[in-house]
């Protein structure tokens, strides 16, 4: 359990569509996923995978969820989606930009997915922590300029 006042967002991320680095597809927007040349799209399972929920939200916002989900290859997590794309097992996949950056030689970002909600990550110490002082120092470090610089080096954006 955390105190509401202690909870704060410490970074943001971006949802992107990635394709294999050698893909001939020139995808620039979501509705292009409905074209015949796109047959398989890796999508995290929305019921259990956060990136899948963000993907579903983005596709529903532009009335494409039904069409694109019919081509989906469901994945257990964002890294599985990334792996399917990196190995060329799917035509495209939805992942976070920070994940895509880990395999720049195997995937390329086709485009950033338009979102009307932020992808943010919260941090807080637990209310009954046995190490409350250490937890506070850790949270303070993550929120500090130095902590934010480390996160930025890994592609995360400021909250």
């Amino acid at each position: 359990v955390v105190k509401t006042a202690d909870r704060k967002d410490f970074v943001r991320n971006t949802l992107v569509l990635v394709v294999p680095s050698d893909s001939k597809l020139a995808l620039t927007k979501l509705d292009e996923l409905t074209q015949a040349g796109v047959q398989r799209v890796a999508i995290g399972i929305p019921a259990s995978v956060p990136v899948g929920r963000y993907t579903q939200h983005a596709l529903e916002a532009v009335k494409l969820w039904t069409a694109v989900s019919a081509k989906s290859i469901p994945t257990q997590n964002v890294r599985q989606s990334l792996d399917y794309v990196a190995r060329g097992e799917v035509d495209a996949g939805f992942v976070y930009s920070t994940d895509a950056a880990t395999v720049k030689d195997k995937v390329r970002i086709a485009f950033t997915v338009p979102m009307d909600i932020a992808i943010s990550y919260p941090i807080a110490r637990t209310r009954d922590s046995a190490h409350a002082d250490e937890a506070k120092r850790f949270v303070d470090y993550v929120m500090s300029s130095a902590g934010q610089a480390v996160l930025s080096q890994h592609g995360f954006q400021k909250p």
Side-chain angles (χ1 to χ4, degrees), residues 13-157:
N13 212 334
T14 306
L15 182 65
V16 296
L17 184 83
V18 292
V19 296
S21 57
D22 62 354
S23 175
K24 304 293 186 249
L25 292 171
L27 302 172
T28 61
K29 54 188 178 182
L30 289 172
D31 66 354
E32 293 170 346
L33 291 171
T34 62
Q35 63 190 356
V38 178
Q39 297 178 0
R40 294 177 312 273
V41 180
I43 298 176
I45 300 167
S48 58
V49 181
V51 75
R53 284 191 292 278
Y54 287 117
T55 299
Q56 182 175 1
H57 178 85
L59 290 169
E60 284 178 342
V62 292
K63 313 239 184 302
L64 291 172
W65 173 247
T66 301
V68 177
S69 65
K71 299 177 177 200
S72 77
I73 302 301
T75 65
Q76 299 294 320
N77 56 58
V78 70
R79 287 300 175 109
Q80 187 177 29
S81 291
L82 185 64
D83 288 343
Y84 284 173
V85 176
R87 292 191 306 254
E89 295 174 9
V90 296
D91 300 306
F94 290 91
V95 301
Y96 299 118
S97 61
T98 52
D99 292 293
T102 66
V103 289
K104 289 181 188 176
D105 57 327
K106 295 180 180 165
V107 304
R108 67 179 160 80
I109 295 175
F111 60 87
T112 298
V113 177
M115 296 288 294
D116 63 355
I117 56 174
I119 299 173
S120 58
Y121 299 82
I123 192 170
R125 67 183 173 101
T126 56
R127 184 180 63 203
D128 300 325
S129 172
H131 304 282
D133 290 339
E134 291 89 348
K136 181 181 181 329
R137 281 197 302 275
F138 177 73
V139 170
D140 289 346
Y141 174 74
V142 168
M143 298 301 294
S144 73
S145 296
Q148 290 291 301
V150 170
L151 292 163
S152 178
Q153 290 171 354
H154 295 278
F156 289 98
Q157 303 158 9

